[in-house]
Amino acid sequence: MSAPFEERSGVVPCGTPWGQWYQTLEEVFIEVQVPPGTRAQDIQCGLQSRHVALAVGGREILKVAAGRGLRSLTFLPASESPSPKGKLFDSTIADEGTWTLEDRKMVRIVLTKTKRDAANCWTSLLESEYAADPWVQDQMQRKLTLERFQKENPGFDFSGAEISGNYTKGGPDFSNLEK
């Protein structure tokens, strides 16, 4: 049981035209497909609380830019088709964000949530775009609730558990029960 919860139980991804995103209690992962053979030195990535920018070889792939107090996120897939803009669903801790290039064809951006509990299940990557469909959203919420139970009860293994009943908003609150 030494591996992280998501490694033992899998992730619930939300597919997008440019890759996918998924989340844990503490982090949001953005996986962006880049041209095969991309080298790390060709990547420029900037991470802030509600600002993410990714360029490969000088070509902007992803950008959250400030403008008159509003911030927007643009994803440009390899086809360079127009794409939507919007704000990240919630804020992140800029100093803890990282990115990696994997197999020279995918950039993984890891953002640390400012609100790290099962009740803070992002329903979409942006406020109005890349929303998880209802079934995926339900699976994400179940997963975060089980991850919360795992964190609260480290001696048990919830990685293969199923959950039903009241699991929305992080599941039931047992904090006021006497021990």
Side-chain angles (χ1 to χ4, degrees):
M1 213 169 50
S2 61
F5 182 79
E6 66 273 8
E7 287 182 21
R8 289 181 282 122
S9 62
V11 298
V12 180
C14 182
T16 65
W18 40 262
Q20 66 180 8
W21 70 274
Y22 57 94
Q23 63 186 311
T24 65
L25 277 177
E26 299 187 353
E27 298 170 318
V28 173
F29 296 80
I30 303 170
E31 296 179 347
V32 180
Q33 300 302 316
V34 295
T38 297
R39 300 173 304 164
Q41 65 194 36
D42 297 331
I43 296 174
Q44 299 83 41
C45 187
L47 305 174
Q48 295 177 5
S49 177
R50 288 234 179 173
H51 179 103
V52 178
L54 175 66
V56 177
R59 183 177 148 256
E60 196 172 81
I61 304 284
L62 171 135
K63 184 176 183 183
V64 180
R68 286 186 244 145
L70 299 175
R71 295 186 177 174
S72 61
L73 181 60
T74 303
F75 290 94
L76 300 175
S79 66
E80 303 227 15
S81 62
S83 51
K85 297 178 180 180
K87 293 166 90 175
L88 283 174
F89 184 80
D90 205 348
S91 62
T92 61
I93 301 171
D95 293 345
E96 295 183 18
T98 61
W99 67 270
T100 56
L101 174 64
E102 299 183 13
D103 299 326
R104 298 180 72 171
K105 63 182 179 182
M106 193 252 313
V107 173
R108 177 175 286 132
I109 299 170
V110 182
L111 305 172
T112 302
K113 295 177 177 179
T114 53
K115 300 176 204 154
R116 296 177 250 182
D117 56 57
N120 185 32
C121 182
W122 287 26
T123 57
S124 61
L125 183 60
L126 308 180
E127 287 180 342
S128 61
E129 295 292 334
Y130 308 116
D133 67 49
W135 185 85
V136 171
Q137 178 60 36
D138 181 68
Q139 296 304 306
M140 284 179 170
Q141 185 64 66
R142 288 173 189 244
K143 183 78 142 180
L144 294 185
T145 301
L146 287 172
E147 189 177 350
R148 181 197 118 199
F149 291 163
Q150 180 69 63
K151 191 174 185 180
E152 292 172 354
N153 303 282
F156 294 94
D157 182 4
F158 291 92
S159 62
E162 292 290 324
I163 190 168
S164 62
N166 179 14
Y167 57 86
T168 58
K169 299 293 182 197
D173 180 11
F174 299 117
S175 63
N176 60 355
L177 297 177
E178 292 184 37
K179 296 193 180 219

